[in-house]
Amino acid sequence: MKTQPIKSQTPAEMLLRKGIQPTLQRLRVLEDLRARRDHPTVEDIYRELKPRIPTLSKATVYNTLSLFAAKGLVRELSIEDRELRYDSVTEDHGHFKCMACGSIHDFGFSFESLEIRGLEGFAVVDERLFFKGICPVCRGQETGGAEMELGLAEAETGLAEMKKADRG
């Protein structure tokens, strides 16, 4: 039996395939998340949906997203301490967070192409790749550009020192 590609499935079909009963709240949370590329928090989704679903609570949004993550329908991202975000793209990809504006960008890569040393004998249960720095928009801004370039230079220096320490 051939399955439909995930992108062509309706939200209700996606939920049912994962064994999740489609309710109004679950459908709206999934639709909102799939329509976004900003990797929203529970608060972001709650603020977006509350005007359309007056009975919606933050707890419902949180519990719904936790269920979706447990079933592999979404990915949880903890790029920063105390900040849990969600991503509807579950295929392998990395994330870049701009330290100036806070935006999070997806980028493609392959875990198979990475050369990883020092984990022999370890059981890896999750693979994530995150970078932090300054995005092209913020690097090009005229106001504050010099400060951001200085921050980027400090970050690059710190990264070089960490790599040097790993080798030595």
Side-chain angles (χ1 to χ4, degrees):
M1 183 171 141
K2 192 171 184 177
T3 59
Q4 287 180 290
I6 289 180
K7 293 295 180 190
S8 67
Q9 293 178 9
T10 67
E13 290 170 331
M14 293 174 72
L15 292 177
L16 288 170
R17 284 189 184 277
K18 294 290 185 174
I20 301 171
Q21 181 64 39
T23 64
L24 173 68
Q25 291 90 347
R26 289 173 178 168
L27 289 167
R28 295 301 174 262
V29 168
L30 183 58
E31 289 166 355
D32 184 69
L33 187 58
R34 290 181 74 210
R36 303 171 78 129
R37 289 291 165 248
D38 62 345
H39 307 86
T41 63
V42 167
E43 180 69 30
D44 295 334
I45 293 172
Y46 173 76
R47 274 195 313 260
E48 179 69 27
L49 295 179
K50 181 67 175 170
R52 292 181 283 166
I53 308 172
T55 59
L56 186 68
S57 69
K58 279 188 203 176
T60 298
V61 175
Y62 175 80
N63 291 334
T64 298
L65 290 168
S66 294
L67 174 63
F68 290 176
K71 296 286 189 168
L73 199 55
V74 302
R75 282 186 140 180
E76 293 179 329
L77 304 176
S78 3
I79 298 173
E80 296 288 336
D81 293 338
R82 300 185 199 121
E83 181 184 72
L84 190 59
R85 294 178 169 270
Y86 295 87
D87 192 349
S88 64
V89 179
T90 57
E91 294 83 24
D92 285 342
H93 66 285
H95 295 94
F96 177 95
K97 180 164 185 176
C98 179
M99 296 173 0
C101 68
S103 63
I104 299 174
H105 305 269
D106 291 341
F107 63 89
F109 77 99
S110 167
F111 276 111
E112 290 78 32
S113 67
L114 293 176
E115 183 181 340
I116 300 172
R117 295 180 299 264
L119 293 180
E120 296 79 10
F122 287 79
V124 177
V125 295
D126 192 15
E127 298 173 322
R128 307 287 169 109
L129 185 60
F130 301 111
F131 290 106
K132 292 180 187 176
I134 308 297
C135 72
V137 172
C138 292
R139 287 187 73 192
Q141 289 179 350
E142 291 180 14
T143 58
E147 289 176 11
M148 287 181 218
E149 287 296 329
L150 178 59
L152 182 60
E154 289 173 357
E156 288 171 344
T157 301
L159 182 58
E161 288 173 4
M162 287 173 30
K163 286 181 179 179
K164 186 177 177 182
D166 284 345
R167 281 185 249 138

